[in-house]
Amino acid sequence: MKPDSSRNSWEAEIQPHQTIWSRLDHGARRLLPGILCFFIIIICAAPLPVPGITEILPAFMITTVFFWSAWHPSSMTSPVVFLLGLSMDFVNFTPLGVSALLLLLVHSVAFYSRFGITRLPFLLSWLIFAFIALGVCLLQWSFACLFRLHILTLSPALFEATLCVGFYPALSVLFSWVIQKFNDREDI
Amino acid sequence: MIPVSIQLRLALNRLTLPALILLSAGIIIAGQADRKRSEKVRMCVADALAPVWSVVTAAEERAIAVTSALHEASHLASENTRLRTENENLRRWYDVAVSLTRENDSLKTALHWIPEDAPTFVTGRVVADSGSIYARAVLLIAGADSGVKAGNIALAANGLAGRVTETGAHSARVLLITDISSRLPVLLESSHAPAIMAGDNSPMPKLMYYAQDIHPLEGERVVTGDQAGAFPAGLPVGTVHYIMPGRPVVIPYAKLDHLVLLRIFNFGQAQVEAPDAPGHVPLAPPHKTQEPPFTKLFNQG
């Protein structure tokens, strides 16, 4: 396992001098998932002819935040998650702070249990993610009910949770490839 | 970078996440407590993002235009014959419409008809779908600068779409009639019965609160009613459809899943206030307070 690049204060101070280019490269690598997610949030708000786009975006965000927080937390820090959630709230006109809170909860679960989750076989981590996604979607549903003082139908929440579970393997493959590329670059 | 000790940095790192969770909970509570301010902040963000969305929408429209042009090029001949027959048919309807308009005009002149004020309207392009899982709304470019106010009515090409709920300087948010918080008084045209059309976030809002002896007919036209005074009567909304026996819903005329342009009407001035009814007697004088008996006696003493 590689040492976490964010904790370099523990290492001896015999590092090669960082050039501006390598600093930029390092910074871009840390911010890449957050910036990509931000652009996806903005673009998904445009009226695209994609059915169910309102459910696809939160499902995508939950899956992405979970994966990066567990496997590469230095690229998905809690302030980034908070800002992403807040921008989702602004763009989608959900009550301010709700998406931020939900994404931070996903992030904290993934971050604090990452040493357990990353060692598990894929199917088991998928199952754990399914439970987390279901919990978050139900929490979102209960927030929506609370703010409207009206019991809404559960089906959108279940659909969103199903989408999360469906996205997980495909996004895992994609993000694993990206993290692999990151690590390859670090080795050079 | 500020030089801080390793212990302090670790402690700060550990505190960030709980602090942010508390902060978002605080934002939720503050947003609910002071809704006006949160809506203002939101509309400022929407105003700033509206140009970005218009670029995305323009690119999307260009792509759709190119693909549809390619698609149409393959059946030009059949399309031409279809259009020619339709044009003949429409020509006939045009003559009918002209003669009916003339007849209508002459009848109105004979009756000394007082014309109604034509409502003012502005047209805006829909640039963003500002709904979420539990809300149905769109954002359009036409804001307070163009005279759009909260409460104005949004009409799509062929039917009612919704009402303006929030306005920014250059953008306005329209809550669609399919949103779960939308309740609007409607009139069933053939049954002549008032009802309430209630959105439930599904594409087809349901019909509620019509009289028990009324059975809305399948395919019947639904128009807005003026019971609450919020909508002018007679705007086309949709047609009645039964998804199962005893549960009538309305299929909106407007294509709410893909709105492109919306007209925002200001019917505010057209509202007519009824004069006070003659012979109406107020129940109690408004400013007279109740006095206990014998007060005068004590005052004299």
Side-chain angles (χ1 to χ4, degrees):
Chain A
M1 196 175 160
K2 284 182 175 306
D4 192 345
S5 57
S6 63
R7 303 275 165 101
N8 50 14
S9 46
W10 291 103
E11 293 165 9
E13 303 233 346
I14 39 165
Q15 296 173 5
H17 181 66
Q18 280 199 320
T19 59
I20 292 177
W21 177 248
S22 67
R23 270 169 196 253
L24 277 178
D25 184 52
H26 197 73
R29 217 176 293 158
R30 283 179 64 134
L31 291 177
L32 181 76
I35 292 174
L36 275 183
C37 283
F38 181 72
F39 279 113
I40 287 172
I41 290 172
I42 302 282
I43 289 172
C44 279
L48 302 174
V50 180
I53 191 85
T54 48
E55 281 93 359
I56 288 174
L57 178 69
F60 172 81
M61 290 303 296
I62 290 170
T63 316
T64 310
V65 166
F66 177 84
F67 190 90
W68 284 91
S69 306
W71 266 268
H72 207 268
S74 65
S75 294
M76 190 58 84
T77 54
S78 40
V80 171
V81 175
F82 175 72
L83 289 178
L84 284 177
L86 213 56
S87 51
M88 269 176 82
D89 285 331
F90 271 118
V91 167
N92 295 333
F93 282 74
T94 39
L96 279 185
V98 170
S99 304
L101 182 67
L102 295 173
L103 286 186
L104 278 174
L105 289 178
V106 173
H107 169 74
S108 55
V109 170
F111 183 75
Y112 286 119
S113 60
R114 66 186 188 280
F115 296 116
I117 289 175
T118 45
R119 287 199 184 92
L120 287 176
F122 177 75
L123 283 179
L124 215 54
S125 69
W126 192 7
L127 187 70
I128 289 173
F129 172 70
F131 278 112
I132 294 171
L134 185 66
V136 168
C137 294
L138 288 179
L139 194 60
Q140 189 183 16
W141 171 80
S142 51
F143 268 123
C145 292
L146 184 70
F147 289 137
R148 286 166 188 274
L149 298 175
H150 183 80
I151 299 289
L152 304 169
T153 50
L154 250 178
S155 50
L158 297 179
F159 179 52
E160 189 190 346
T162 317
L163 275 179
C164 287
V165 175
F167 279 162
Y168 188 72
L171 289 178
S172 293
V173 173
L174 179 71
F175 294 151
S176 302
W177 179 76
V178 176
I179 291 175
Q180 183 72 35
K181 285 278 165 199
F182 278 11
N183 293 342
D184 285 352
R185 290 279 300 172
E186 264 170 22
D187 287 343
I188 295 169
Chain B
M1 190 146 177
I2 310 157
V4 282
S5 69
I6 292 169
Q7 284 88 350
L8 187 62
R9 202 183 295 173
L10 280 179
L12 280 178
N13 275 352
R14 219 168 274 163
L15 273 179
T16 318
L17 185 54
L20 284 174
I21 290 180
L22 280 181
L23 181 63
S24 42
I27 291 175
I28 296 176
I29 294 166
Q32 291 301 311
D34 191 353
R35 285 191 185 207
K36 272 193 182 160
R37 185 164 298 174
S38 68
E39 293 311 332
K40 208 178 263 180
V41 176
R42 234 186 248 279
M43 286 317 291
C44 284
V45 174
D47 266 355
L49 282 174
V52 180
W53 283 322
S54 15
V55 169
V56 176
T57 326
E60 182 206 333
E61 271 177 18
R62 185 73 58 80
I64 289 174
V66 168
T67 47
S68 64
L70 285 175
H71 185 72
E72 276 168 18
S74 54
H75 0 225
L76 262 181
S78 62
E79 189 69 9
N80 261 347
T81 41
R82 193 185 67 80
L83 284 176
R84 212 165 283 141
T85 48
E86 192 178 323
N87 209 12
E88 277 168 23
N89 201 7
L90 287 177
R91 191 81 220 160
R92 218 170 299 140
W93 276 111
Y94 172 77
D95 293 339
V96 174
V98 167
S99 67
L100 280 177
T101 314
R102 280 199 195 124
E103 188 187 341
N104 215 349
D105 283 346
S106 63
L107 286 175
K108 275 180 182 170
T109 323
L111 285 169
H112 302 292
W113 174 266
I114 300 166
E116 292 169 7
D117 292 341
T120 55
F121 70 92
V122 289
T123 307
R125 180 176 288 276
V126 174
V127 286
D129 182 356
S130 73
S132 62
I133 302 180
Y134 302 107
R136 299 284 178 268
V138 292
L139 194 85
L140 75 156
I141 296 200
D145 286 357
S146 329
V148 176
K149 288 189 202 125
N152 286 3
I153 292 156
L155 290 180
N158 39 8
L160 183 73
R163 296 183 73 175
V164 176
T165 49
E166 290 113 19
T167 53
H170 316 292
S171 58
R173 185 173 184 246
V174 173
L175 195 78
L176 299 181
I177 50 174
T178 46
D179 187 272
I180 191 145
S181 51
S182 157
R183 299 276 183 282
L184 81 118
V186 292
L187 192 74
L188 308 172
E189 229 175 33
S190 316
S191 323
H192 297 292
I196 294 285
M197 188 177 79
D200 52 1
N201 284 348
S202 71
M204 290 177 280
K206 58 189 177 203
L207 274 181
M208 294 161 71
Y209 305 128
Y210 46 88
Q212 273 189 344
D213 53 340
I214 297 290
H215 298 287
L217 306 170
E218 171 83 36
E220 180 176 6
R221 247 169 74 92
V222 177
V223 295
T224 52
D226 57 353
Q227 284 94 343
F231 283 89
L235 299 177
V237 178
T239 49
V240 174
H241 174 63
Y242 279 89
I243 41 172
M244 59 175 81
R247 279 198 57 192
V249 294
V250 178
I251 302 175
Y253 286 128
K255 284 179 189 161
L256 296 175
D257 53 342
H258 196 72
L259 291 168
V260 182
L261 291 171
L262 280 181
R263 284 171 296 158
I264 307 293
F265 280 85
N266 190 358
F267 288 103
Q269 287 83 25
Q271 295 292 332
V272 180
E273 276 198 24
D276 289 336
H280 176 75
V281 182
L283 287 175
H287 296 298
K288 196 179 175 189
T289 48
Q290 293 279 323
E291 285 180 0
F294 307 117
T295 319
K296 276 185 187 165
L297 195 73
F298 292 129
N299 282 346
Q300 280 170 4

